[in-house]
Amino acid sequence: MGFKLPLKEMEDIAERDDAALDQLKKRLMGAAAVILVFFGIIVLRLWTLQINSGKEYAQRAYSNRVREREVAAPRGHILDRKGKEIVTNRPSFNVVLIKEDSTNLGDVLTRLSPVLKMDVSELWEKIRKSAGSPKYLPVRLKEDIDWKTLAYLENHNHEFSGIRTEVQPVRVYHYGNLAANTLGYLGIISKKELEKADQKIYKGSDLIGKAGLEKLRERDLRGEKGIYFSEVNARGFEQQLLKSVEPLPGREIHLTLDVELQQIAESYMEAGEKSGAVVAMEVNTGRLLTVVSSPSIRIEDFIGGISVKNWKALLENPKHPLINKVVQASYPPGSTYKMVTALAGLAKGVIDEDTVFYCPGHYRFGNRTYRCWKHSGHGPVNLKKAISQSCDVYFYQVGQRVGVDGLAEFARKLGLGKKTGVEMEHEKSGLVPTKEWKLRVKKKKWQEGETLSIAIGQGFDLVTPLQMCVMTATIANGGKVYRPQLVEKVVDPEGNIVENFKPEIVNELVGLDRFFKLIREGMEEVVQGKRGTARRVAIKNLRIGGKTGTAQVVKIAQYRHLKEANIPYRYRDHAWFTCFAPAEKPEIAVTVLVEHGLHGGSGAGPIARAVLKEYFYNRLHNKEVSEEQ
Amino acid sequence: MIKIDRRLFENFDIILMLFICLVCTMALFNLYSASYPPKAYGTPAYIRQSYFFLMGFGVFLFLISFDYQELHSWNYPFYVLIVALLIFVYFAGAKAGGAQRWINLGFFKLQPSEPAKLMLVITLASFYSRKEVVDGYSITQLVIPVLLTALPFLLILLQPDLGTALMLGIIFVSMTVFVKLRMSTYLTMGGLALVLGVFAWEKVLKPYQKQRIQTLFSPDNDPMGHGYQVLQSKIAIGSGGKFGKGYLEGTQGHLHFLPERHTDFAFAVWGEEWGFAGSLIFLGIYFMMLLWGIHVAMEAKDRFGVLLAYGVVMLIFWQAVINLLMILGFLPVVGIPLPLVSYGGSSLLTTMLGLGILMNVRMRRFQNLQPEP
C-alpha cells in the first residue's frame, strides 16, 4: 500500500488530544441513549399493534385474504310426465369486476374493451350503476361470454386485475317455446321483489321466477346457493379454496304435461296463426296433458331480461301473447253450455230422455222471437238430437223451465263460475249469472228472456277454456270434478319425492250417472252422427263425444248477413270445441278455443282431432294392424 | 501494509461477530419466508441474498486486514469513484419503477447510492478527525463538509431517490452534531435547514413524494392508494399477535398483500410470523449489536476510530429506525431498507463494509498504545 495522499493535517493526528477524545466519547453515551429511546418507541409500537390490537388486526388480516363468494345453485329441472327434459340449465360465464381487487381500473378497462367487444364508456356505465354496492361484490360487465373469450381471459388473467369470470347456470329450453306461458320465465329480481323476499336468500342481481310455474314453484326450483370461502392475494386472484358450502340444486318438477301432445297442439295453433287455447286433461285424474295458449311468448326474449322494446311489442300485440288464455281469458261458452242446460233439465225433472220439443226455427217468448241457428228448424227434437244438432229452440224451452238460478246451480256443480284451483297465475273465475248477481252487480232486475240466452251459452256467461275442459271431463267421468293438476311430483336432488300428485276431487255429483250417460250419447252423435256438427272430427276406430260452440263476440246486425270471410277479424265469433274419448270408456278430455275462429267444428275441431290422434296413436295403429291380419 | 499478526486475532471481537451472524441468519430465514412460495423462474431471493452474504463476509474479512488509518488516504479516490458512478447512473443507469438508480453489471445491479452512504461516513469521519477545533466548528469551517455532502445528495435526489438522499442528510447531521459546533453554527444551520426545507417542499419535491409524506398522517384514509402499503404492513404485523402465526404461515406476506415484503417490508413478515415475542428477540439482538458498536466507538484509540465507529453505527441505526417506524406506520414510506435484513446486494455489501470498518476499529484499539516489539 504505497499510495498516500499528502494531507498536511495527518501530522496533527499523531498528537492525540486526549481531552477532546474523552469529550467525544462522552457524547457517545448520548448516542447510546438515543438508540435505546428509539428501541423503546419501536417496542411500544409493536406492543400496541400486536398485543393491544392483535385481535383486531388478525380479523382484518382474515377479511383481507378471505373472500366469501356466493355460487348460484342450478335451478331445478322441469320434466314432462315421461321424464323428458323440458327446461334444464347450462353454465353461463359472466365477466365481473371486483372493485376492491382492481388496480389501474382505467387501463384494465381499455384492454378489456376489445376482448369483450364493448365500448369503454359502456363498461364504465355498468360500474357507475353499481356505485352504491360494496366494493367486494362483483359487478357484472358482460354475461354469457363465448368459450374463446373465456379462454383468453383465463390465460391472461394477470393483465386484468380485479376482473374475474363467474359461472352462473342459465335456463335451457329444450323444446323452445313449449308451454312457455305456463312454465313462465326468469328475470333479475326487482327492487320491489327484493324488499318482500327473504334477504338471506336473495341478493341484488339474482334471478327469480317472474311468471308461470317458475314463479309459483320458485321455492322448489331455486335450490340453495353455495358459499365459497377462498383465499385471494392482493391482486384479487384466488389462491386456494379454504372451505365451501356446495350449492344445493333446485328440485325437479315433473309435470303432468305430455311433450308430444303439447307439441302437436301448439304446432296446429301456430300453423293456422290461431289465437286461443288448447287444454287436454285426463278424465279420471285431472292431470293436464296439454295447456296451450296461443300465440305464446317467445322464451328467448326473456333470457337475461327482456328489452323494453320487446316488452312493449308484447303488450301492444292484439293477440295478447302475454295472457295465458287457458285460465286468464274467459269467453261466452256458446253451445258448449247446452250440456249444463241439459243436465239441469234432466236433474230437475223438467225433461227426460224422450221429451220432445218442436223446433220451427224460432221460439216466441214474451213479446220477442228467439231464433234457432237453423232458420228452417229442426222439427221434433229430443235430447240426443238437440245436443247433436245443437238445437237452440230445445234449450230455450229447457232453460225457461229450469230458470236462471237452476242453470247456475248446475253450472257451478260442474265447476263453472269459480276458479279451478290449477297451479297457474291470475286464473279467472268466469261468470255464472244468477238473479241475485244481476241485482247486485248490474243493479237491475232479471229479465226472464235473458234466461233463454243463458241457456244456450250467450249473454252474461263466461268460462275459461280450462273450466270447459274440467266440465267436459266431469261429464265424461260421470260426475267427478277434479282439480286440474299441472305438477305430478317434486323430486329433491337426492331423489326423494317431496310432493306427490294425488287426484283431487273438488266436487262430486252423485246419482246423476243416468243423465250424464244421456248427455254423453248426445255428444257422441255430435261427432259420429250423420248430422252432427262436428262430423269432420271423427277418427276411424275411435268413438269421440264432443260439442261445438260459437261464441258471439258482438251482436251487430250489420255483420249477420255478410259472408264470414268478409266480417272483420276482430268481430268474428270465437270457435269452441270440447270433447272426450274414447266414448265407451272416456280417458281424455280436450277443449279447444280459437278466438275469432267462427265455427267450432271447422275452426277448433281439427286441433282437438290432432291431439286425440296423437294420444291414441299407438292404440289406433295396433288396431289397424290387427284388422289387416 | 497488510499486517495480520497474532494479536489481531486475539483482538478479534467474537461478540460483535456473533451479533452480526445472528442477525444475518435470522434475516436469511425471514427472507426465505418472504419470498415463499418461490417463483417458478429465476433464482430465489434468499439464494441470491446468500451469495451476497458470502461476498459480504469476504469484503468484511478483506477490510479488517487493513489498518483503518489507511482510509484517510483511500477516502478521496473512493469519494471520486462514487460520485463518478452516481453521475454515470444519472446518464446511463438502468431504469426501474420510474427511477434510474442502478448500474447493470450483468450478475448484479449495483446501486451506487448505497455505498455512497458509507463513503459519506468515512469522508466526514476523516474530515472531522483531521480538522479538530477546540472551541467548536464555525459555519465557515463547515462549508467543505456541506459541499462534500451536497454533491452526492443532489445526484441521488435526481435519480430520484428521496429516501437515500435524506439518509445522506441524516448522516451529515448526525456526524456534524456529534463533533463540537459553536452555538452560532447551530442557529445558522437550523435556519438554513428550515429555508431549504420550505424551498424543497415548494419546488423540488415531486407530487408523489409530497403525497407520501402527507400520507404519513392519515394512512387509513387512503387505503387503496399510498396508505395501502402501510396499512397492509400494520395488518401483517398486528395480526401476528403475541407469538405469531408460525414460520412460513404468514398469510399477508405470502398472498402479496404486503408490498415489497422481501425488501423494505421484510420485518413485517417477521412480525407476522413470530409475533411480539419473536419481534422482541429480533430487535433485542439487532439493537444490542448497535449498542455494541457504540461500545466499540468508546474504546477506539483515536478520534478517527471513534468517528468511524460512531458513523457506521449511526448509518445502520438510522436506516433501521426509519425502516421500522415506516413499516409500523409512524413515518412515510420512503425507500430505506432495514440493513442486513432487507433483500438487496448493494445495501448488504455496504452494511458489511461498514461492519468491517467497525471490526477494524475494534481490533486495532490497542495497536498504538503498545509499541511493537
Side-chain angles (χ1 to χ4, degrees):
Chain A
M1 295 280 105
F3 177 79
K4 252 182 193 175
L5 278 179
L7 295 167
K8 71 175 168 62
E9 296 93 341
M10 290 296 283
E11 292 145 27
D12 306 333
I13 296 168
E15 299 168 27
R16 292 196 317 277
D17 184 336
D18 285 332
L21 190 60
D22 283 346
Q23 199 188 28
L24 206 58
K25 285 182 178 180
K26 267 180 202 157
R27 290 175 171 229
L28 282 171
M29 294 304 289
V34 167
I35 290 174
L36 281 171
V37 164
F38 275 102
F39 178 72
I41 290 172
I42 286 162
V43 169
L44 269 178
R45 177 63 170 168
L46 278 171
W47 176 276
T48 45
L49 284 181
Q50 296 187 306
I51 308 290
N52 279 0
S53 316
K55 280 199 182 121
E56 180 198 320
Y57 278 111
Q59 184 53 46
R60 287 185 81 159
Y62 181 80
S63 57
N64 219 349
R65 69 188 177 95
V66 175
R67 287 278 183 288
E68 219 181 287
R69 183 156 59 89
E70 283 186 346
V71 183
R75 212 171 159 82
H77 294 182
I78 301 177
L79 300 88
D80 90 336
R81 55 165 39 209
K82 291 172 187 157
K84 287 188 177 158
E85 292 179 332
I86 304 172
V87 187
T88 56
N89 308 297
R90 69 171 170 81
S92 151
F93 294 90
N94 301 334
V95 179
V96 297
L97 165 74
I98 311 287
K99 282 184 278 184
E100 189 176 53
D101 297 337
S102 84
T103 49
N104 261 339
L105 189 53
D107 284 2
V108 168
L109 292 186
T110 311
R111 269 177 280 130
L112 196 61
S113 145
V115 180
L116 298 184
K117 297 180 186 73
M118 286 168 81
D119 285 343
V120 176
S121 60
E122 215 177 323
L123 293 170
W124 274 116
E125 187 54 37
K126 299 225 173 196
I127 295 164
R128 222 167 280 136
K129 271 187 191 164
S130 71
S133 70
K135 279 185 158 185
Y136 58 85
L137 282 184
V139 180
R140 222 169 272 174
L141 298 180
K142 188 168 187 179
E143 287 173 8
D144 210 0
I145 53 170
D146 57 27
W147 283 99
K148 246 174 96 181
T149 313
L150 177 70
Y152 183 86
L153 286 175
E154 293 291 317
N155 286 331
H156 297 74
N157 63 359
H158 56 278
E159 292 170 26
F160 302 102
S161 84
I163 299 292
R164 265 210 329 243
T165 52
E166 59 167 29
V167 193
Q168 193 196 24
V170 296
R171 282 307 215 192
V172 179
Y173 299 90
H174 295 277
Y175 295 94
N177 295 328
L178 186 99
N181 285 68
T182 303
L183 299 180
Y185 50 87
L186 302 176
I188 289 172
I189 192 165
S190 67
K191 270 193 182 153
K192 235 180 173 178
E193 285 166 325
L194 197 58
E195 277 165 19
K196 281 191 283 176
D198 188 341
Q199 305 286 335
K200 279 181 224 137
I201 297 172
Y202 293 99
K203 296 266 159 17
S205 59
D206 284 351
L207 291 174
I208 190 170
K210 290 275 185 184
L213 276 182
E214 294 272 25
K215 179 178 176 183
L216 295 170
R217 287 276 169 177
E218 170 71 17
R219 198 180 285 262
D220 285 318
L221 289 167
R222 71 176 173 225
E224 277 170 38
K225 286 178 193 168
I227 305 176
Y228 288 2
F229 296 91
S230 49
E231 198 172 55
V232 299
N233 67 13
R235 281 178 298 168
F237 299 128
E238 287 184 9
Q239 303 294 299
Q240 59 168 326
L241 198 61
L242 296 175
K243 64 174 174 176
S244 64
V245 179
E246 291 297 324
L248 188 68
R251 294 166 175 167
E252 272 183 4
I253 290 191
H254 294 250
L255 301 180
T256 59
L257 296 185
D258 181 301
V259 162
E260 271 132 18
L261 279 189
Q262 181 81 19
Q263 278 181 309
I264 289 280
E266 284 186 7
S267 62
Y268 268 76
M269 292 295 276
E270 256 171 57
E273 286 182 24
K274 290 181 162 104
S275 166
V278 183
V279 184
M281 193 170 107
E282 280 185 349
V283 161
N284 297 304
T285 61
R287 290 179 184 172
L288 292 167
L289 300 171
T290 306
V291 277
V292 180
S293 176
S294 183
S296 140
I297 53 168
R298 282 151 41 97
I299 204 75
E300 64 262 36
D301 290 346
F302 288 88
I303 300 173
I306 188 163
S307 67
V308 175
K309 196 182 123 201
N310 283 340
W311 182 253
K312 230 180 142 188
L314 280 175
L315 282 178
E316 287 167 2
N317 188 326
K319 290 188 175 178
H320 305 296
L322 278 172
I323 290 175
N324 181 1
K325 297 183 178 94
V326 173
V327 292
Q328 292 172 11
S330 52
Y331 308 87
S335 300
T336 55
Y337 206 72
K338 285 169 181 167
M339 273 91 77
V340 177
T341 309
L343 183 69
L346 289 166
K348 296 263 177 195
V350 169
I351 50 164
D352 62 26
E353 186 181 355
D354 302 319
T355 307
V356 173
F357 293 114
Y358 186 79
C359 171
H362 57 84
Y363 179 68
R364 280 198 68 84
F365 182 77
N367 53 2
R368 265 193 69 181
T369 299
Y370 292 83
R371 293 190 174 280
C372 185
W373 67 269
K374 192 178 179 184
H375 293 193
S376 57
H378 289 97
V381 183
N382 67 1
L383 178 66
K384 216 167 168 179
K385 188 178 172 185
I387 293 176
S388 70
Q389 296 187 25
S390 206
C391 176
D392 292 335
V393 170
Y394 182 92
F395 288 102
Y396 286 144
Q397 296 181 56
V398 178
Q400 189 203 331
R401 278 156 219 212
V402 173
V404 65
D405 289 343
L407 291 174
E409 181 193 336
F410 281 88
R412 290 191 168 277
K413 280 184 176 171
L414 288 167
L416 304 182
K418 58 191 171 206
K419 291 176 185 177
T420 64
V422 72
E423 250 189 292
M424 291 187 187
E425 288 178 281
H426 311 302
E427 187 183 9
K428 285 204 168 175
S429 52
L431 178 59
V432 173
T434 58
K435 287 179 179 169
E436 183 270 330
W437 167 83
K438 195 182 174 195
L439 208 59
R440 180 167 46 85
V441 178
K442 301 270 176 188
K443 314 278 181 216
K444 275 178 190 160
K445 241 191 109 190
W446 187 264
Q447 306 290 312
E448 283 306 311
E450 287 169 337
T451 308
L452 274 61
S453 295
I454 299 300
I456 62 159
Q458 304 293 352
F460 299 117
D461 282 323
L462 287 173
V463 300
T464 65
L466 181 63
Q467 283 172 333
M468 183 56 73
C469 192
V470 170
M471 184 189 96
T472 308
T474 303
I475 293 166
N477 68 32
K480 294 187 182 81
V481 183
Y482 284 99
R483 187 164 93 92
Q485 298 275 354
L486 196 53
V487 177
E488 189 171 318
K489 58 183 174 186
V490 179
V491 181
D492 74 12
E494 282 92 48
N496 306 314
I497 294 172
V498 179
E499 196 181 329
N500 203 4
F501 163 81
K502 281 195 192 81
E504 189 185 329
I505 296 170
V506 179
N507 187 26
E508 192 164 359
L509 290 80
V510 192
L512 303 177
D513 291 357
R514 209 159 42 90
F515 306 142
F516 281 121
K517 192 167 171 277
L518 283 175
I519 293 168
R520 283 202 297 271
E521 281 168 10
M523 289 173 78
E524 260 182 79
E525 280 296 300
V526 171
V527 181
Q528 319 296 341
K530 275 179 188 160
R531 289 170 170 274
T533 52
R535 289 184 306 278
R536 65 178 74 190
V537 175
I539 298 168
K540 200 183 162 193
N541 294 326
L542 181 69
R543 286 191 74 80
I544 302 164
K547 184 73 195 80
T548 56
T550 303
Q552 283 177 12
V553 172
V554 281
K555 288 170 187 155
I556 301 176
Q558 66 182 102
Y559 296 120
R560 291 273 147 227
H561 309 290
L562 286 175
K563 275 192 181 162
E564 284 156 355
N566 294 338
I567 303 172
Y569 174 80
R570 64 199 165 101
Y571 295 137
R572 291 180 199 169
D573 295 339
H574 297 319
W576 280 102
F577 184 70
T578 187
C579 62
F580 57 86
E584 53 277 17
K585 197 172 182 281
E587 287 175 28
I588 179 174
V590 182
T591 299
V592 180
L593 173 98
V594 178
E595 289 182 339
H596 312 295
L598 292 168
H599 293 293
S602 54
I607 296 162
R609 184 175 191 269
V611 171
L612 289 175
K613 261 190 108 168
E614 173 65 29
Y615 182 82
F616 290 106
Y617 180 80
N618 284 331
R619 276 179 269 176
L620 288 169
H621 196 71
N622 292 338
K623 211 176 251 178
E624 274 166 23
V625 170
S626 63
E627 271 173 12
E628 276 170 15
Q629 285 168 347
Chain B
M1 293 297 135
I2 303 177
K3 280 185 189 167
I4 307 178
D5 58 23
R6 187 181 47 81
R7 233 181 3 197
L8 275 179
F9 281 105
E10 279 170 4
N11 291 327
F12 186 83
D13 191 343
I14 286 295
I15 294 172
L16 179 61
M17 198 62 214
L18 196 70
F19 281 134
I20 296 170
C21 286
L22 270 174
V23 171
C24 288
T25 310
M26 290 190 293
L28 258 188
F29 265 99
N30 188 53
L31 197 60
Y32 177 77
S33 179
S35 51
Y36 185 89
K39 280 182 190 166
Y41 52 89
T43 318
Y46 69 96
I47 299 276
R48 287 178 65 85
Q49 191 75 344
S50 307
Y51 296 153
F52 293 132
F53 269 118
L54 289 177
M55 280 167 68
F57 277 104
V59 167
F60 181 87
L61 292 173
F62 176 70
L63 216 90
I64 59 175
S65 60
F66 296 99
D67 187 337
Y68 62 88
Q69 296 292 346
E70 306 267 354
L71 287 171
H72 276 302
S73 22
W74 278 99
N75 174 37
Y76 285 97
F78 192 33
Y79 185 94
V80 171
L81 175 71
I82 295 293
V83 167
L85 287 175
L86 286 172
I87 292 169
F88 178 79
V89 161
Y90 180 69
F91 286 109
K95 282 183 187 178
Q100 202 160 335
R101 299 176 188 167
W102 297 270
I103 296 171
N104 200 339
L105 300 176
F107 67 100
F108 168 54
K109 285 202 293 186
L110 178 73
Q111 191 177 347
S113 55
E114 283 295 332
K117 298 172 192 170
L118 186 66
M119 174 274 292
L120 190 66
V121 169
I122 300 167
T123 303
L124 293 177
S126 173
F127 181 86
Y128 289 136
S129 63
R130 278 182 279 115
K131 272 226 182 314
E132 197 184 325
V133 181
V134 179
D135 49 352
Y137 290 87
S138 69
I139 192 73
T140 47
Q141 285 168 316
L142 285 183
V143 170
I144 290 171
V146 164
L147 288 178
L148 285 172
T149 307
L151 182 60
F153 175 88
L154 288 172
L155 283 169
I156 292 168
L157 199 61
L158 282 172
Q159 289 180 349
D161 186 351
L162 180 67
T164 310
L166 283 177
M167 260 322 291
L168 293 191
I170 290 167
I171 290 162
F172 171 80
V173 172
S174 300
M175 303 224 23
T176 306
V177 169
F178 186 63
V179 297
K180 201 177 172 186
L181 297 188
R182 287 177 193 170
M183 184 51 77
S184 60
T185 316
Y186 278 118
L187 292 174
T188 320
M189 292 288 288
L192 263 174
L194 198 68
V195 171
L196 275 172
V198 171
F199 174 77
W201 183 262
E202 293 295 328
K203 303 280 177 192
V204 183
L205 286 186
K206 296 191 164 46
Y208 81 90
Q209 292 170 327
K210 284 193 206 178
Q211 201 160 13
R212 276 185 179 182
I213 292 166
Q214 283 166 334
T215 300
L216 163 70
F217 303 106
S218 56
D220 291 328
N221 291 346
D222 185 19
M224 293 307 287
H226 295 86
Y228 177 80
Q229 296 174 318
V230 174
L231 187 65
Q232 291 301 329
S233 131
K234 274 159 71 181
I235 289 174
I237 294 169
S239 66
K242 281 179 197 141
F243 300 106
K245 296 175 184 170
Y247 187 55
L248 296 181
E249 298 292 326
T251 55
Q252 303 307 293
H254 296 157
L255 295 169
H256 304 260
F257 284 103
L258 195 56
E260 302 171 48
R261 66 194 186 286
H262 63 286
T263 57
D264 289 359
F265 286 85
F267 184 73
V269 173
W270 184 274
E272 188 187 8
E273 296 189 342
W274 300 98
F276 183 72
S279 302
L280 208 59
I281 291 170
F282 183 94
L283 293 177
I285 292 169
Y286 202 96
F287 278 79
M288 290 280 275
M289 178 181 80
L290 295 177
L291 287 174
W292 191 258
I294 296 293
H295 173 70
V296 169
M298 279 188 173
E299 299 206 335
K301 71 172 162 60
D302 60 0
R303 194 174 162 83
F304 187 41
V306 171
L307 282 169
L308 269 180
Y310 167 80
V312 166
V313 170
M314 283 297 119
L315 173 64
I316 297 172
F317 167 73
W318 283 120
Q319 290 188 82
V321 162
I322 291 169
N323 176 277
L324 290 169
L325 292 181
M326 171 180 95
I327 68 176
L328 290 169
F330 271 172
L331 278 183
V333 177
V334 287
I336 302 280
L338 182 58
L340 295 182
V341 180
S342 295
Y343 171 81
S346 302
S347 163
L348 181 61
L349 289 176
T350 305
T351 309
M352 289 306 275
L353 268 167
L355 289 168
I357 290 170
L358 198 63
M359 183 62 94
N360 197 327
V361 172
R362 180 70 177 157
M363 285 162 68
R364 288 175 174 81
R365 65 189 188 275
F366 304 118
Q367 203 168 57
N368 293 345
L369 299 179
Q370 296 167 340
E372 283 179 58

